[in-house]
Amino acid sequence: MSRYGDIAAVSSYHDIVNAGRNVLNARSLPRLGRSVRRLRLDRGLSQSELADRAGVSRQWVVGLERGQTEGLEVGRLMRVLDELDASLTIRDDLGAD
């Protein structure tokens, strides 16, 4: 569990980024995995379909969704997110007051 909790939901940053879109908190590999799974299911894709479209193995998608992808390769993650029409946002929490 992150020491930050879900600060996206209580910060002014949430209003700026959300702007009518769905923002999923992915501060850990398990949360990232749950977010990817939710997006995949929302889009009606099987793990195999997503893996084929993103050029990764189904086992890699399974590991990602379980939060068990040690040494996560950002390139693979970005291909998966592209296929889900999703993006990754990096926030500087130190700069937020």
Side-chain angles (χ1 to χ4, degrees), residues 2-24:
S2 171
R3 63 186 170 126
Y4 297 105
D6 187 3
I7 66 171
V10 297
S11 71
S12 60
Y13 179 80
H14 180 263
D15 296 335
I16 295 167
V17 172
N18 198 20
R21 298 180 307 187
N22 192 14
V23 176
L24 305 172

Side-chain angles (χ1 to χ4, degrees), residues 18 27 44-45 70 73 87 97:
N18 198 20
R27 272 200 179 273
L45 295 172
E70 281 296 318
E73 290 183 35
S87 62
D97 285 315

Side-chain angles (χ1 to χ4, degrees), residues 19-76:
R21 298 180 307 187
N22 192 14
V23 176
L24 305 172
N25 185 337
R27 272 200 179 273
S28 65
L29 286 178
R31 282 186 174 199
L32 175 63
R34 285 191 299 270
S35 296
V36 168
R37 182 174 191 275
R38 178 176 164 196
L39 291 169
R40 177 181 60 76
L41 293 173
D42 286 352
R43 278 130 178 95
L45 295 172
S46 69
Q47 290 173 330
S48 294
E49 290 169 326
L50 177 57
D52 287 344
R53 290 180 181 193
V56 299
S57 70
R58 180 183 166 277
Q59 291 80 12
W60 193 88
V61 172
V62 169
L64 173 62
E65 289 186 358
R66 290 181 179 167
Q68 299 172 338
T69 308
E70 281 296 318
L72 179 73
E73 290 183 35
V74 175
R76 287 184 184 186

